[in-house]
Amino acid sequence: MKFKLPAVVERWNAHPLLATWDDVLAAWKARDKSRMHSLLFGLETDAGHHFAVLLMLFITTSVLVVMLDSVIIGSAPRLHIFLVVLEWAFTLLFTAEYALRLWCSPRPMRYARSFFGMVDLLAVVPTYLALFLGGAHSLLMIRLLRMLRIFRILRMSEYWSEGNLLLRSLYAARRKILVFLFTVFVAATIFGALMYAVEGPEHGFTSIPRGVYWAIITITTVGFGDVVPQTALGQAIASLVMLVGYSVIAVPTGIFTSEVLEELRRQRMTKSCPACQVADHENDANFCRHCGEGLGK
C-alpha cells in the first residue's frame, strides 16, 4: 500500500482534539455564546471534553517550557529566546481563553470571582508582571493549579464526597489538633530555652529562638544538623527530645483517624430503611440488611 502524505495530514487534521479549535472559531465567528459556553465550561458534549483535554496538554507543555527555561538560561541563548517566544505564545493563548470565558459566561463576575476564575487569571498575570518585575516569571508554575480541572475531565466528581468526608473530619478534630500543636510548641520552647542555657552561643545556640528552632526540627525528626549540641548534658537533653518526638509523631494521625471513623459511622447511621426504619447501612447499599426493602438513592 502506497504511503500518501496528504492523506495522513488530512487524517491528523480531522483528529477530534484539533477539530475542537474549528468549533471554537466557528462559535466565535457566529457570536454564539451558548455554543462557546458548552465548549469552554461543559463536559457533557464530546467537543467540550476534547477542548478540556487539549487545554490540559497546553498547560502541561507550558509548565515544561518554564522548567526547561530555568535549566538552560545563560547556557543556550538561542534556545532561551525560542522558549521565551513559546511561553508568550502560550500566555496569549491562555489570555484569549480567559477573555472568551468571561465573554460567554452568563455571569462574568461570578466566574471571575470563582476559584477556577482566579486560577485562570493568575495563570497569565506572571508573564505580564515579568516585564516590570524581575523574578515574576517563576510564578508561572501557578499554572499547575489549572490541572485541577483534570478531575472534571476524568469524570471524577463522585470522589468529591470522599474529599468532603476528610474535610469534615479535619474540621471536627480542629480543637484537638490545635491543642496538640500548642502543647508541642510549649515543649519546644522549654527544650529550646534549656538548650540555650546549657550549650550557649559558643555551640551555635545564639538565642532562645535559635534553640526553639533546633527543638522543633528535632521533635519532628527532621534533624538538619546545622545546630548540634556538644556537651554531654546537651546531648542527653537531645536524646530526650528525640524520644519525645517519636512518641508524639503518631498523635495527630490517631486523632484524625478517629474522627474519620466517627464520620463514617455518622454517615451509616443517616441511611435508614423506609420500611422497617433500621439504620446503619453502608453508603452504597441498595437494599435493607434487615428486611430487604430497597433503600433508594
Side-chain angles (χ1 to χ4, degrees), residues 211-270:
V212 173
Y213 158 77
W214 169 87
I216 291 175
I217 64 175
T218 305
I219 290 176
T220 56
T221 69
V222 175
F224 291 133
D226 52 346
V227 183
V228 181
Q230 302 295 326
T231 65
L233 180 58
Q235 292 172 354
I237 296 174
S239 301
L240 177 61
V241 174
M242 295 175 195
L243 293 176
V244 170
Y246 278 112
S247 62
V248 304
I249 197 170
V251 173
T253 304
I255 293 174
F256 180 65
T257 302
S258 64
E259 291 297 337
V260 171
L261 294 176
E262 181 63 22
E263 185 63 29
L264 289 173
R265 187 191 67 82
R266 283 195 291 266
Q267 284 191 359
R268 292 181 60 179
M269 292 300 294
T270 57

Side-chain angles (χ1 to χ4, degrees), residues 5 10 16 35 37 42 47 50 52 74 84 88 101 103 105 154 170 185 207-208 210 232 237 264 278 286 289:
L5 182 60
E10 183 179 355
R35 183 180 177 185
H37 186 272
H50 292 149
V84 170
W88 270 104
R101 288 181 183 273
W103 173 72
S105 179
L154 300 178
L170 283 173
F185 180 74
S207 64
I208 292 180
R210 183 73 171 171
I237 296 174
L264 289 173
V278 172
N286 296 320
R289 61 182 178 84

Side-chain angles (χ1 to χ4, degrees), residues 40-295:
L40 300 184
F41 290 94
L43 293 175
E44 63 278 357
T45 62
D46 291 338
H49 179 75
H50 292 149
F51 178 83
V53 173
L54 190 61
L55 180 63
M56 291 299 103
L57 293 177
F58 281 138
I59 294 171
T60 304
T61 305
S62 67
V63 171
L64 292 177
V65 166
V66 176
M67 295 174 64
L68 180 60
D69 187 40
S70 67
V71 174
I72 59 92
I73 188 171
S75 59
R78 292 184 178 180
L79 182 57
H80 169 66
I81 294 175
F82 171 75
L83 293 177
V84 170
V85 172
L86 196 60
E87 172 52 38
W88 270 104
F90 281 121
T91 299
L92 294 176
L93 179 66
F94 293 144
T95 303
E97 179 224 348
Y98 179 75
L100 287 176
R101 288 181 183 273
L102 288 174
W103 173 72
C104 70
S105 179
R107 298 180 178 178
M109 293 308 300
R110 182 177 181 181
Y111 159 70
R113 290 194 298 265
S114 67
F115 172 76
F116 281 116
M118 296 297 295
V119 170
D120 292 343
L121 179 62
L122 291 175
V124 299
V125 167
T127 305
Y128 298 108
L129 288 179
L131 296 174
F132 309 99
L133 301 176
H137 188 265
S138 60
L139 296 176
L140 287 172
M141 302 306 292
I142 294 175
R143 286 181 182 169
L144 281 174
L145 291 176
R146 301 193 74 189
M147 297 298 289
L148 292 174
R149 294 182 184 272
I150 198 171
F151 286 98
R152 297 173 60 193
I153 297 173
L154 300 178
R155 306 297 201 277
M156 297 178 67
S157 58
E158 63 268 17
Y159 290 100
W160 286 118
S161 59
E162 279 74 13
N164 290 330
L165 185 145
L166 296 179
L167 290 176
R168 290 195 300 270
S169 301
L170 283 173
Y171 183 78
R174 66 189 185 282
R175 290 188 178 89
K176 296 177 184 177
I177 294 177
L178 287 175
V179 170
F180 167 77
L181 292 176
F182 179 75
T183 303
V184 172
F185 180 74
V186 170
T189 303
I190 294 174
F191 282 124
L194 187 59
M195 289 298 291
Y196 170 73
V198 171
E199 294 290 330
E202 61 273 14
H203 293 151
F205 293 84
T206 55
S207 64
I208 292 180
R210 183 73 171 171
V212 173
Y213 158 77
W214 169 87
I216 291 175
I217 64 175
T218 305
I219 290 176
T220 56
T221 69
V222 175
F224 291 133
D226 52 346
V227 183
V228 181
Q230 302 295 326
T231 65
L233 180 58
Q235 292 172 354
I237 296 174
S239 301
L240 177 61
V241 174
M242 295 175 195
L243 293 176
V244 170
Y246 278 112
S247 62
V248 304
I249 197 170
V251 173
T253 304
I255 293 174
F256 180 65
T257 302
S258 64
E259 291 297 337
V260 171
L261 294 176
E262 181 63 22
E263 185 63 29
L264 289 173
R265 187 191 67 82
R266 283 195 291 266
Q267 284 191 359
R268 292 181 60 179
M269 292 300 294
T270 57
K271 193 167 188 178
S272 59
C273 175
C276 64
Q277 303 302 317
V278 172
D280 197 18
H281 293 93
E282 298 290 344
N283 290 330
D284 57 353
N286 296 320
F287 300 95
C288 176
R289 61 182 178 84
H290 180 71
C291 66
E293 182 71 20
L295 297 176

